[in-house]
């Protein structure tokens, strides 16, 4: 029996019915998996992936068969078995267009459902899966294949250490948010800014909301772009130092 709390009732009913029809070793996947993770609207038919046995076609159900699913590619989300976010994005890319993949990828990154390392590991495990090439291409397009949040974090920490400034908390929890860097005693937050990190308009708008929430609570927010980090590192360090002194 599946627990389906917090899943919209009509979607939950369709998902459970499809899982019961497909039988054991089946998981929600592709567009339906993306919908369950909140990354895309539900498709007209339910997408199911089953290990081993072939599933006969059924109206309203699109069943795929795989020889095996890596345990790293499976999760239990909202009481239902579903492909992990990274694998879900890869499979979804087989059916979606570039714009839909980019939106789903941006949403997953914004909600911290996937890291770049997860996506690359999934692509390495399943390089011939339908959707793998398209997902890799979209990833290169939205990030230039160069800039990652982890790389920017390492650069900021190195800059702070070289300037002999107090080390901040990284990816700290604050006011129900996760901020990039936090000097808690000085009420100072540093956040990455710019398209390289937002990747999509929805995330850009969400980050504007974050700054408003932090400012309203009395925190000072410094926003830094990739170009500033790489082209004007000492100026960035000076601004951080000045803000810490004033704090």
């Amino acid at each position: 029996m599946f627990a389906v709390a917090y899943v919209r009732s009509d979607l939950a009913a369709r998902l459970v019915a499809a899982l019961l029809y497909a039988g054991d070793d089946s998981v929600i996947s592709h567009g339906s998996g993306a919908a369950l993770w909140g990354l895309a609207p539900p498709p007209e038919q339910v997408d199911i992936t089953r290990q081993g046995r072939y599933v006969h076609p059924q109206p309203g159900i699109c069943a795929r068969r795989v020889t095996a699913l890596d345990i790293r590619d499976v999760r239990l989300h909202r009481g239902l078995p579903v492909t992990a976010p990274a694998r879900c994005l890869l499979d979804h890319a087989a059916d979606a267009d570039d714009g839909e993949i980019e939106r789903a990828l941006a949403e997953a990154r914004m909600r911290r459902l996937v890291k770049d390392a997860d996506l690359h590991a999934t692509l390495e495990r399943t390089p011939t899966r339908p959707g793998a090439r398209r997902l890799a291409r979209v990833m290169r397009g939205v990030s230039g294949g160069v800039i990652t949040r982890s790389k920017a974090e390492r650069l900021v920490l190195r800059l702070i250490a070289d300037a002999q400034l107090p080390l901040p908390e990284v990816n700290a929890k604050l006011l129900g948010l996760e901020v990039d860097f936090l000097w808690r005693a000085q009420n100072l937050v540093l956040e990455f800014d710019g398209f390289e990190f937002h990747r999509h308009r929805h995330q850009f708008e969400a980050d504007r909301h974050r700054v408003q929430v932090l400012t309203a609570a009395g925190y000072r927010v410094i926003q830094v772009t990739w170009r500033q980090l790489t082209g004007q590192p000492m100026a960035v360090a000076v601004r951080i130092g000045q803000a810490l002194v004033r704090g």
Side-chain angles (χ1 to χ4, degrees):
M1 193 68 177
F2 300 108
V4 291
Y6 308 113
V7 184
R8 204 181 68 202
S9 59
D10 58 334
L11 175 60
R14 293 171 57 209
L15 296 176
V16 170
L19 287 168
L20 291 174
Y21 173 77
D24 294 339
D25 296 325
S26 59
V27 297
I28 301 160
S29 63
H30 295 72
S32 296
L36 185 60
W37 286 110
L39 306 179
E44 292 185 4
Q45 58 185 3
V46 176
D47 297 299
I48 294 292
T49 295
R50 193 188 191 286
Q51 301 180 74
R53 182 173 58 83
Y54 172 76
V55 179
H56 292 284
Q58 175 76 5
I61 299 176
C62 180
R64 279 94 165 179
R65 175 187 173 276
V66 294
T67 303
L69 267 174
D70 192 293
I71 191 170
R72 291 167 290 185
D73 292 335
V74 180
R75 296 283 190 278
L76 191 67
H77 182 57
R78 297 181 174 179
L80 298 173
V82 59
T83 47
R87 175 60 184 264
C88 188
L89 286 167
L90 185 152
D91 288 336
H92 183 45
D95 304 321
D97 61 34
D98 286 7
E100 292 170 328
I101 301 165
E102 183 178 336
R103 287 190 289 273
L105 179 60
E107 184 72 19
R109 280 169 159 162
M110 182 190 72
R111 294 170 52 196
R112 315 281 184 173
L113 291 176
V114 295
K115 299 178 181 178
D116 288 342
D118 301 327
L119 294 164
H120 289 302
T122 301
L123 287 168
E124 288 175 5
R125 285 198 302 273
T126 56
T128 61
R129 287 288 301 168
R133 286 188 178 183
R134 176 175 283 178
L135 177 61
R137 175 165 51 79
V138 171
M139 288 171 60
R140 288 194 298 269
V142 297
S143 65
V146 175
I147 303 170
T148 64
R149 185 169 294 272
S150 60
K151 183 175 181 179
E153 287 173 353
R154 289 194 298 271
L155 186 57
V156 169
L157 289 174
R158 189 182 310 123
L159 178 64
I160 291 170
D162 289 346
Q164 299 184 357
L165 297 171
L167 290 176
E169 301 174 45
V170 182
N171 298 327
K173 300 295 184 181
L174 181 66
L175 302 174
L177 304 170
E178 184 176 89
V179 300
D180 295 325
F181 298 95
L182 170 64
W183 289 267
R184 201 176 293 270
Q186 290 84 8
N187 281 6
L188 180 64
V189 170
L190 185 146
E191 291 272 84
F192 299 127
D193 189 33
F195 179 75
E196 296 92 342
F197 304 108
H198 296 111
R199 296 183 174 90
H200 188 265
R201 170 60 59 180
H202 178 68
Q203 187 164 352
F204 180 84
E205 296 293 342
D207 282 355
R208 303 282 74 70
H209 172 73
R210 289 161 57 84
V211 172
Q212 292 169 9
V213 170
L214 293 167
T215 302
Y219 288 89
R220 294 165 300 139
V221 181
I222 296 177
Q223 294 178 295
V224 179
T225 68
W226 177 257
R227 183 169 296 181
Q228 289 170 343
L229 283 177
T230 56
Q232 304 170 346
M234 292 313 299
V236 172
V238 168
R239 293 182 195 121
I240 295 172
Q242 289 172 336
L244 288 170
V245 169
R246 292 191 181 118

